[in-house]
Amino acid sequence: YHHLSFGAPLVTDLVRRARACAAPGDRVLLIGGSTLLIESLACLDYEFDVWHLPGTYLTEHAKRFVSRSISLDSLPTERCDGDAYRLIIIPLLIEGFDTAAATDVMRALRGMLTHDGRVLIATANQSRLDLRLAAIGGPSVFQGASVIQSTIIHGATVQAAVIQGAAVSRPGLQ
């Protein structure tokens, strides 16, 4: 059970932030994540989807929330089925992409959000998350995008941020 206690500070912070960003009944997408995070978010009464990444262990109970399996390589081209999401949570994934691929991921996520939707990112990269997000997102992906919350979670040495910004329609940014 060490893996559960090790991730608990991050899960606690992500659940707290999710509750501040989305109300019960809102559509929420978790890309990746652990069994503990899935089970915690499932208790919040969201209309909830999980996109599972290969190699991530999930309990049988957590697997029932998985709506699709994806790879990191396919993430920039993924599209949501149905209505847009109010909140998309991507824990510990963005640092796996170079800047160009991360920009493509942010564009894809932008296209899946409601007009007032938010993206919740957690990263183990301690080097100025706000600057990295500006480089990969910038005004070409989110209009008026801003990091509205940022903190270091000392127990898990993870920095998290919530990005908000109205989705914009621009040629080439579908």
Side-chain angles (χ1 to χ4, degrees):
Y1 299 103
H2 174 72
H3 68 286
L4 292 177
S5 63
F6 179 76
L10 173 61
V11 169
T12 300
D13 190 72
L14 291 175
V15 168
R16 178 184 59 82
R17 291 172 189 273
R19 289 182 69 195
C21 294
D26 284 345
R27 281 184 43 92
V28 173
L29 172 63
L30 172 63
I31 302 173
S34 66
T35 292
L36 183 59
L37 182 55
I38 291 169
E39 296 291 351
S40 298
L41 291 169
C43 293
L44 298 178
D45 294 324
Y46 296 133
E47 187 180 328
F48 184 58
D49 290 324
V50 175
W51 290 1
H52 181 252
L53 295 164
T56 305
Y57 172 77
L58 297 179
T59 64
E60 290 303 315
H61 189 260
K63 286 180 185 177
R64 67 188 180 103
F65 297 101
V66 173
S67 59
R68 77 174 72 163
S69 293
I70 64 165
S71 68
L72 283 179
D73 293 338
S74 71
L75 186 55
T77 60
E78 294 289 339
R79 299 296 177 256
C80 66
D81 298 327
D83 295 332
Y85 294 99
R86 174 74 171 101
L87 177 64
I88 300 174
I89 305 169
I90 52 171
L92 306 179
L93 294 180
I94 202 73
E95 62 267 13
F97 298 101
D98 62 29
T99 300
T103 300
D104 292 341
V105 168
M106 295 301 287
R107 285 183 178 140
L109 297 179
R110 190 224 46 211
M112 295 182 230
L113 288 173
T114 61
H115 74 282
D116 59 347
R118 294 180 177 181
V119 177
L120 173 53
I121 296 174
T123 179
N125 182 351
Q126 294 298 306
S127 61
R128 297 296 309 270
L129 179 60
D130 55 341
L131 295 178
R132 174 130 166 92
L133 293 174
I136 64 176
S140 66
V141 177
F142 287 96
Q143 179 181 354
S146 61
V147 175
I148 61 169
Q149 298 174 345
S150 183
T151 187
I152 304 272
I153 305 163
H154 296 289
T157 62
V158 172
Q159 189 173 23
V162 178
I163 303 172
Q164 70 178 0
V168 294
S169 296
R170 292 189 184 177
L173 293 179
Q174 305 301 322

